[in-house]
Amino acid sequence: MGKLAFRNSLSTILVLFLTLSTSLCVWAQTSGIILSDDEGKTIYAKNPDNPLIPASTLKILTSLAAIKTLGPDFHFQTWACYDETTCDLYLKGFGDPLFISEEINKFAHQISHHLFKQVSEGIIPSAVIRDIIVDQTYYAPHITIPGAGSSSNPYDATNGALCANFNTIFLKWDRRNRQYISAERQTPFPDILARQITPGSKKADRILLSHDLRQDYPGILMHYFLKEPGVKVTGSVRTGKFIGSDEGCIVYTSAFSLADIIEKLLKFSNNFIANQLMLTMGARTFGPPATLEKGTAVLNKFAEETLGLRNVAIVEGSGLSRRNQLTPGQMKDILIAFMPWYELLRKDENEFYKTGTLSDVRSRAGFIRGKNNRLYPFVIMLNQTSTGYDAIRRMLKGKVDLAP
């Protein structure tokens, strides 16, 4: 081999070596894996104490904190109050993340039944409502979630005390009438919305409502649904302060338990639901209004005092922010505590799991069910590299297959 060829070969080998060394160094610093048995005994670990970005696997911690703080059988409530003097109807929300069209419709029928009963008893002359007034004050206004964008995309939906349909509406193009209509049978598209919404070029699209519309949207839907049972609404929808009390108001209790909500949260990785739970926990623990600071204080205190995790950093509840940090070992401890509710996670054959993805971040946490029906908690956290993700999963499953 000539000197020039030798030098070129040596140079190539050195470049490959340096590249491999650098990759291994980055992997070692920015990735972690752990697999344990159901008692927490480690079977395999790689960098289990590295603080890393958990991405959406953080939702497991938020779910666990909600179960422990609110209880798995907790049901959100929404209040209504009818002012017999002004004929105004007041609505007050407390953070229900699943205040969807079907629920609002049922609430409208509950309100109409109350009004017609009052008419029959001679308390009010007729079932007529002037204005519908929406109280959003259980949450502080303009809460900004770290890591969330400010786009009009549904995944950037903002949080609030009374939000209908995740602050979104799903529209499709009606070719016959050449106009947009609701893509959901259960959700109307009233003229007041049609005048204020400009859909994009897509023939079917879920649209995030503007900030002003988000505040009034629950009242707009209530206005529509009250017409079906025969209640007349003569005025408009606006925001204001609730005048009633818990004793004299009409209380609607959500059909969804907290366990139901968490199952949907984990299945669809819904950022909005996760942060609604986080904010509601803050308001119920420290008093309203709900704020980001109160909500994250609950999560960090729960992680430290209840789970015994030290030096965690949680700045919101969904995993959107890169400032959230946990170690794989800490995530394993979270999974051990979450084990009684493992079936709320997504399932794929013998694996119950939650994934997390951000730019240059890929994570997965959950349980592998072994041949002995034991659950084996596992955590994969890859930051700044996705190298080996599938191979790591196969390796962990292989170790579970070999477990006694």
Side-chain angles (χ1 to χ4, degrees):
M1 179 184 293
K3 290 184 179 180
L4 180 59
F6 177 78
R7 289 197 190 101
N8 288 339
S9 298
L10 182 60
S11 177
T12 301
I13 292 170
L14 286 172
V15 168
L16 290 172
F17 176 76
L18 289 173
T19 301
L20 179 60
S21 298
T22 302
S23 299
L24 290 173
C25 183
V26 169
W27 200 97
Q29 293 172 354
T30 62
S31 301
I33 310 167
I34 194 165
L35 172 71
S36 78
D37 64 16
D38 52 5
E39 295 178 349
K41 182 180 178 181
T42 300
I43 296 172
Y44 177 86
K46 182 78 172 180
N47 304 323
D49 300 320
N50 277 11
L52 297 166
I53 302 168
S56 280
T57 59
L58 181 68
K59 291 181 174 74
I60 301 174
L61 173 61
T62 302
S63 299
L64 180 62
I67 289 170
K68 296 295 186 180
T69 303
L70 305 174
D73 297 322
F74 172 81
H75 289 253
F76 279 89
Q77 291 184 345
T78 305
W79 293 357
C81 178
Y82 182 72
D83 188 328
E84 299 168 11
T85 303
T86 65
C87 297
D88 291 331
L89 178 71
Y90 292 81
L91 303 175
K92 184 175 178 66
F94 297 92
D96 185 353
L98 291 181
F99 197 57
I100 55 179
S101 296
E102 297 91 333
E103 294 286 283
I104 300 170
N105 195 4
K106 287 190 287 186
F107 193 14
H109 280 77
Q110 183 178 339
I111 292 169
S112 66
H113 176 77
H114 173 83
L115 293 179
F116 287 126
K117 185 172 185 293
Q118 286 196 312
V119 171
S120 67
E121 294 174 352
I123 299 173
I124 58 177
S126 61
V128 174
I129 293 171
R130 189 180 68 172
D131 291 349
I132 297 178
I133 301 168
V134 181
D135 186 339
Q136 297 277 8
T137 59
Y138 191 70
Y139 278 25
H142 303 291
I143 295 173
T144 300
I145 301 298
S150 57
S151 76
S152 59
N153 292 315
Y155 51 73
D156 284 330
T158 53
N159 298 91
L162 189 58
C163 301
N165 295 324
F166 313 101
N167 288 324
T168 67
I169 186 166
F170 190 25
L171 300 178
K172 67 179 179 181
W173 180 250
D174 181 356
R175 288 184 295 179
R176 174 179 295 179
N177 297 308
R178 299 190 61 78
Q179 64 183 16
Y180 278 95
I181 61 174
S182 175
E184 299 172 325
R185 180 180 300 177
Q186 71 275 17
T187 302
F189 187 39
D191 289 342
I192 188 173
L193 289 180
R195 291 194 299 268
Q196 299 183 64
I197 291 177
T198 305
S201 59
K202 297 179 181 179
K203 293 304 181 183
D205 202 5
R206 183 168 291 279
I207 297 169
L208 176 61
L209 302 176
S210 67
H211 178 268
D212 290 341
L213 271 180
R214 292 171 217 168
Q215 305 302 300
D216 295 339
Y217 187 39
I220 292 170
L221 290 182
M222 181 63 74
H223 183 297
Y224 180 91
F225 287 128
L226 282 168
K227 291 188 297 184
E228 182 181 333
V231 176
K232 186 177 182 180
V233 181
T234 62
S236 61
V237 176
R238 56 189 173 90
T239 57
K241 186 73 174 177
F242 194 77
I243 64 166
S245 65
D246 58 345
E247 294 182 357
C249 69
I250 308 162
V251 177
Y252 181 76
T253 301
S254 172
F256 300 100
S257 69
L258 182 66
D260 296 329
I261 293 170
I262 288 173
E263 185 173 23
K264 295 180 185 299
L265 157 64
L266 295 174
K267 180 178 180 181
F268 299 106
S269 197
N270 191 293
N271 299 321
F272 171 84
I273 294 178
N275 282 312
Q276 285 288 111
L277 295 181
M278 178 265 296
L279 291 164
T280 298
M281 284 188 280
R284 290 179 68 89
T285 301
F286 298 108
T291 65
L292 177 67
E293 292 74 21
K294 292 175 184 177
T296 54
V298 170
L299 292 182
N300 282 286
K301 183 178 180 182
F302 174 78
E304 182 173 352
E305 297 185 3
T306 303
L307 301 180
L309 309 182
R310 299 289 180 263
N311 300 316
V312 299
I314 303 166
V315 301
E316 49 87 31
S318 68
L320 278 170
S321 176
R322 293 173 177 274
R323 289 158 48 203
N324 293 314
Q325 286 206 330
L326 292 167
T327 70
Q330 290 170 334
M331 182 59 75
K332 180 210 70 175
D333 292 340
I334 293 167
L335 289 167
I336 293 289
F338 189 75
M339 196 175 296
W341 299 279
Y342 76 95
E343 290 183 310
L344 298 180
L345 291 162
R346 293 182 67 179
K347 182 179 184 296
D348 181 11
E349 296 181 346
N350 66 331
E351 184 181 350
F352 299 82
Y353 67 97
K354 179 75 193 74
T355 58
T357 305
L358 296 170
S359 176
D360 296 327
V361 174
R362 196 168 185 186
S363 58
R364 193 179 188 100
F367 305 90
I368 301 170
R369 186 155 57 192
K371 57 191 175 186
N372 49 13
N373 281 325
R374 291 180 67 182
L375 294 175
Y376 293 81
F378 75 94
V379 181
I380 304 170
M381 299 173 74
L382 307 180
N383 290 187
Q384 298 181 14
T385 177
S386 60
T387 303
Y389 178 81
D390 292 327
I392 293 167
R393 289 183 59 205
R394 289 193 296 269
M395 179 267 291
L396 296 181
K397 287 189 174 185
K399 289 186 177 296
V400 170
D401 290 341
L402 296 173

